[in-house]
Structures are given as C-alpha cells and as structure tokens.
Amino acid sequence: MLITHDTRCALDTVVDLVNTVPEEDAAADGLPDVAALADFVRKHEISGVGALSEFDLSAVRKVRGRFAGVFAASDARIAAGMINELVAAAGTTPQLTDHDGYDWHVHYFAPGASVADHLAADCGMALAFFVVAGEQERLRRCEAPDCRRAFVDLSRNRSRRYCDSRTCGNRLHVAAYRARRKEAAG
C-alpha cells in the first residue's frame, strides 16, 4: 500500500489525536484546554489554522471521539460509515497545494476551515484510504491489558500487536518470561 507523505502525516495526527482521549474516567484529558490544542496544532504542523478558541476545542474533542469510533469499528462497513459522516460534515473541498516546501499534495479541507473540519477532512481521508484498500484491520488498539492506545499497523505482515514494542510489548514479554521462570523453578 502506497502511503504518501501527507497521508502519513494525517495518520500520525489522527493516532495522536485519538490517544488524547482519557482511557478511564479518572484519567486526564490529553487536550485539557485551548493551549494544549494549540500545542497539538503546532506539533503536527497543521497549516491554515488561525486563533483557537473554546469552540474549536469542543469541536476537536467531538471529532476525536468519532475517530476513536473508527479505530474501534468491528468491520469495514461500520468504519466506512463513520468516516463518510466525518468527511461529509467537514465540507471537503479537495485542492492541490505545494506549501511550506512540500511538493504537490492534496488538502481535503476547504480554505478557511476550522481546525476540527481540517482534521475531519484530512485525517478522515487518510483513514478512508485504508478502508478502500481493504486494510481497515490495520487501524488497531494496543493489545496490552493496561493500554488501549490507537496505532496504525504498517508492518508488512499485519502482525503488530502493541502501540510501542519498546514499552507495552517489552513489558508483556518480560512478564511472560518471568512467569515461565517462576513456573519452571517450581
């Protein structure tokens, strides 16, 4: 599956956005205020975003929840329906652009769109490419029992199970090793 630079950026953005959702009722929101949203926009180099407000924060949180639903979708038809709703609500206006030193690529959001519509359109289209390619199962949640972070499995054989093999994967492998050693010791 060919993934262009802008699609990869959108995938990284949507994964990071979904992972700001508190995993438990007591967990802190990863987008607690407008300043955190501004940091998110800056970190992901989201272009064409003006001054942000509480309204933007609320709208982005709603979009974030809908994207979380895409990662939880049990099949492609459900994911496609969710993506269609996100992209349609954003009022997509595909246009070619070559800004900020990047070669030609497509923006799916209308000029002057809100940050929520920008995210819904560009990130929604990035996820749509996976559904169209029959690769919706690559949109996953970490299998570690204490972690449900979203990630996109870009491994060749679709075998990635953890959001980060150095943390979640390694922690589980070490625990399994210690359990085997303890059992062998008797």
Side-chain angles (χ1 to χ4, degrees), residues 36-143:
L37 177 59
D39 288 342
F40 184 88
V41 166
R42 214 172 2 269
K43 175 186 174 193
H44 291 284
E45 299 178 354
I46 300 171
S47 61
V49 175
L52 297 169
S53 67
E54 288 291 331
F55 178 81
D56 291 309
L57 179 62
S58 176
V60 167
R61 285 177 175 164
K62 287 177 186 168
V63 166
R64 173 185 72 177
R66 296 178 84 188
F67 278 131
V70 173
F71 278 84
S74 58
D75 65 42
R77 185 164 304 283
I78 292 169
M82 293 174 172
I83 293 167
N84 283 341
E85 288 175 11
L86 275 161
V87 171
T92 57
T93 306
Q95 60 182 338
L96 288 169
T97 183
D98 66 342
H99 63 89
D100 297 331
Y102 294 108
D103 204 359
W104 291 105
H105 59 282
V106 180
H107 280 185
Y108 295 96
F109 57 92
S114 70
V115 66
D117 285 346
H118 181 133
L119 290 168
D122 270 1
C123 296
M125 290 305 299
L127 296 178
F129 295 140
F130 278 80
V131 174
V132 167
E135 301 285 351
Q136 182 261 335
E137 73 274 1
R138 289 183 182 268
L139 309 177
R140 297 192 174 163
R141 292 290 190 155
C142 185
E143 291 182 17

Side-chain angles (χ1 to χ4, degrees), residues 170-184:
N170 192 44
R171 188 174 60 246
L172 287 175
H173 289 115
V174 168
Y177 171 78
R178 288 180 178 158
R180 287 190 304 271
R181 299 267 304 176
K182 184 177 180 179
E183 186 177 308

Side-chain angles (χ1 to χ4, degrees), residues 28-39:
D29 191 310
L31 288 177
D33 53 32
V34 175
L37 177 59
D39 288 342

Side-chain angles (χ1 to χ4, degrees), residues 158-178:
R158 299 174 191 86
S159 62
R160 187 171 160 196
R161 297 175 48 208
Y162 307 109
C163 64
D164 186 345
S165 60
R166 291 179 306 239
T167 54
C168 290
N170 192 44
R171 188 174 60 246
L172 287 175
H173 289 115
V174 168
Y177 171 78
R178 288 180 178 158

Side-chain angles (χ1 to χ4, degrees), residues 10-20 71 123 149-152:
L11 290 172
D12 291 344
T13 300
V14 73
V15 164
D16 286 352
L17 181 63
V18 168
N19 288 333
T20 66
F71 278 84
C123 296
R149 293 179 60 84
F151 67 94
V152 178

